């Protein structure tokens, strides 16, 4: 296997009441005066974008044309139990116009493609729901 770097995301974060996060390419520039819920929202946005791309790859591998209305909503919970913090996630996916069994196959395949899904696999509880 020959590894090839596709992209490196670079961000800079500052803390405090005037906290912010900014990407080096300027496409992300947000005020984040509190680390939470910003961290969960940003993680959910990044993961759902990656997961949608993985659904597209899974569909392309099967020569399936996805509808433009494909959507992924992520819900990331920050929890604490006896002083230990942990995440729990739900991905709610809409793939209108695709047979339900085929759509479920695409969602399962997408988890094996998406680097975010791979990173959290076995580390946090994840529920994926086809709407």
């Amino acid at each position: 296997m020959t590894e090839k770097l596709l992209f490196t995301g670079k961000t800079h974060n500052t803390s405090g009441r005037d906290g912010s996060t900014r990407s080096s390419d300027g496409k992300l520039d947000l005020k984040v005066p509190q680390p939470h819920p910003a961290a969960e929202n940003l993680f959910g946005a990044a993961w759902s974008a990656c997961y949608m791309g993985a659904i597209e790859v899974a569909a392309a591998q099967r020569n399936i044309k996805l509808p433009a209305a494909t959507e992924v909503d992520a819900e990331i919970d920050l929890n604490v139990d006896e002083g230990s913090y942990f995440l729990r996630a739900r991905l709610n996916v809409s793939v209108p116009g695709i047979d339900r069994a085929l759509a479920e196959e695409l969602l399962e395949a997408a988890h094996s493609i998406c680097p975010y899904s791979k990173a959290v696999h076995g580390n946090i509880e994840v529920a994926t729901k086809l709407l």
Side-chain angles (χ1 to χ4, degrees), residues 80-85:
V80 64
D81 185 14
E82 296 182 10
S84 179
Y85 295 92

Side-chain angles (χ1 to χ4, degrees), residues 70-82:
T70 300
E71 298 177 346
V72 178
D73 294 317
E75 299 176 39
I76 309 297
D77 300 327
L78 173 64
N79 304 281
V80 64
D81 185 14
E82 296 182 10

Side-chain angles (χ1 to χ4, degrees), residues 65-71 93-99 103 130-131:
K65 183 169 172 36
L66 286 179
T70 300
E71 298 177 346
V93 185
S94 175
V95 189
I98 300 291
D99 173 74
L130 178 61
L131 304 176

Side-chain angles (χ1 to χ4, degrees), residues 14-67:
T14 58
S15 65
R17 192 176 63 186
D18 295 322
S20 66
T21 186
R22 181 174 38 90
S23 64
S24 63
D25 63 6
K27 292 183 181 182
L28 177 68
D29 190 0
L30 302 171
K31 296 200 178 301
V32 288
Q34 298 176 349
H36 304 284
E40 289 73 30
N41 287 336
L42 290 168
F43 182 67
W47 188 4
S48 59
C50 179
Y51 188 69
M52 175 138 7
I55 294 169
E56 292 169 354
V57 169
Q61 289 172 341
R62 292 160 177 77
N63 295 317
I64 297 167
K65 183 169 172 36
L66 286 179

Side-chain angles (χ1 to χ4, degrees), residues 47 73 75 88-92 111 124-129:
W47 188 4
D73 294 317
E75 299 176 39
R88 187 173 290 135
R90 289 171 304 288
L91 298 177
N92 300 304
H111 277 300
I124 70 171
E125 181 182 318
V126 178
T128 305
K129 181 178 180 184

